[in-house]
Amino acid sequence: MKESIIKEIEQKLLRYLDNAQMEILHKALTQCLDNVDISIKNENFEEIFDYSNAELIEKFISSKEIEGCSVRTIKYYKSTLEMLDNRTDKHFTHMTTDHLRKYLTDYQKKNNCSKVSIDNIRRNLSSFFSWLEEENYILKSPMKRIHKIKTDKVVKETLSDETLECLRDNCDNIRDLAIIDLLASTGMRVGELVKININDIDFENRECVVFGKGNKERPVYFDARTKIHLKNYINSRSDDNPALFVSLDKPYNRLQISGVEIRLRNLGKRLGINKVHPHKFRRTVATKAIDKGMPIEQVQNLLGHSQIDTTMHYAMVNQNNVKESHRKYVA
C-alpha cells in the first residue's frame, strides 16, 4: 500500500516536475514513510485516476490517427490495448515491467502464437507506453526493459520468372492480368494498388503516384508490358468509376484489398502454386532489384520504406551473386 501511495503522489505531480525533481521527491517520500504504518479502514477504497484505461486508449488512438496511421494499423493498436485492458485489473499508469512480461508470457502460452506475433504485440504496447511517458501520464515506460523478441529467420519464397509467366498465361480476365503485371513491376503494396485512380497513371513516362503508409506520396514505375495491359483493361471498361481497378460485375465498385487477395490466392490454388498473395510480388521485386545490383538505398525508396532495415528483411539476396561478388572484390 505504501508503494501505491508513493506512486499515486508521483503520478499527480508528474506534469509539474522534471525527472531530477521527481527523483528527489521519490527519495524524500520513501524516507519519510519508511517507518509509518499505513492502513486503509475502508475495504471498498478505490484509487482515483484522471482517466480510465478506455479513455487513455481513445486518446492514444486519436494521436495515431492524426499521425496518419492506416486504418488497419489503428485497428491493430486498438485490439491489442483492449485485450490488455480486459485481461488485467490494473490501471495502465500503475503497470510495471513484471506485469507486462507476465502478460506477454501468459498470452503466448494461452494462444500458442508465434514469436513474431508476440513481438508485434510487444511493439504495440511499447508504442503505447512510450506515448504515455511522452504525454506525462507516467514517469517512465515499463516496456523499456522488455526488448525485441528474437525470432527465427525464415527465408521467404519469391516468385520465379516461370511462375509469373504461368500466372499471366492462366488469367481468365484482362483486369487480373493487369493487376499481376502492376504488382510484379512496381512492388507496390496491395493497399496502395486499390487506392489508385485512372488519372494517377502517367502512361507516357510509365509511372504513377501512390499513397503509402502514413499517406506518404511516392512515384512507382512499371514496364512496357504493364502499360499495354493496363491500357487494354481501361479501354475495355464501360463504367465511369474513377478507380483503376473495379469489380468485374455491376455496380463496378472499387476493388478492395480482400478482393485482390482472394483472386490471387484462388489462381495460385488452381495452378498448384504455393501461397500466391500480393506481398509475395513485393518481396520478389525487392529481391530481383538487389540481385541485379540496384543500390539498397534506391530499393528502399522504390518500396517506400522509412527504415533501410525493413528493406533488408524483404530482400533475400541470391547466394550465387554473393559468390560472384566475392570472386570479384575479395578473391
Side-chain angles (χ1 to χ4, degrees), residues 44-98:
N44 296 320
F45 171 78
E46 292 183 1
E47 292 170 306
I48 300 173
F49 304 97
D50 289 339
Y51 299 105
S52 67
N53 284 352
E55 288 173 324
L56 288 175
I57 292 173
E58 286 305 316
K59 286 178 176 292
F60 172 72
I61 293 301
S62 295
S63 73
K64 289 300 172 184
E65 288 173 341
I66 292 171
E67 290 174 15
C69 289
S70 68
V71 174
R72 182 178 285 191
T73 301
I74 294 294
K75 284 183 178 178
Y76 193 23
Y77 272 129
K78 193 168 185 178
S79 63
T80 301
L81 296 173
E82 286 177 345
M83 182 73 72
L84 174 64
D85 189 23
N86 291 334
R87 295 190 179 184
T88 182
D89 57 355
K90 284 195 169 292
H91 194 270
F92 287 150
T93 59
H94 280 195
M95 284 189 174
T96 65
T97 301
D98 288 339

Side-chain angles (χ1 to χ4, degrees), residues 28-40:
L29 289 172
T30 303
Q31 290 173 358
C32 291
L33 297 175
D34 187 37
N35 298 316
V36 177
D37 183 26
I38 298 175
S39 60
I40 302 298

Side-chain angles (χ1 to χ4, degrees), residues 178 181-182 185 203 222-231:
D181 278 333
L182 195 59
S185 61
F203 283 106
F222 50 87
D223 55 27
R225 172 164 51 185
T226 304
K227 174 181 176 179
I228 293 170
H229 290 156
L230 277 174
K231 276 193 167 185

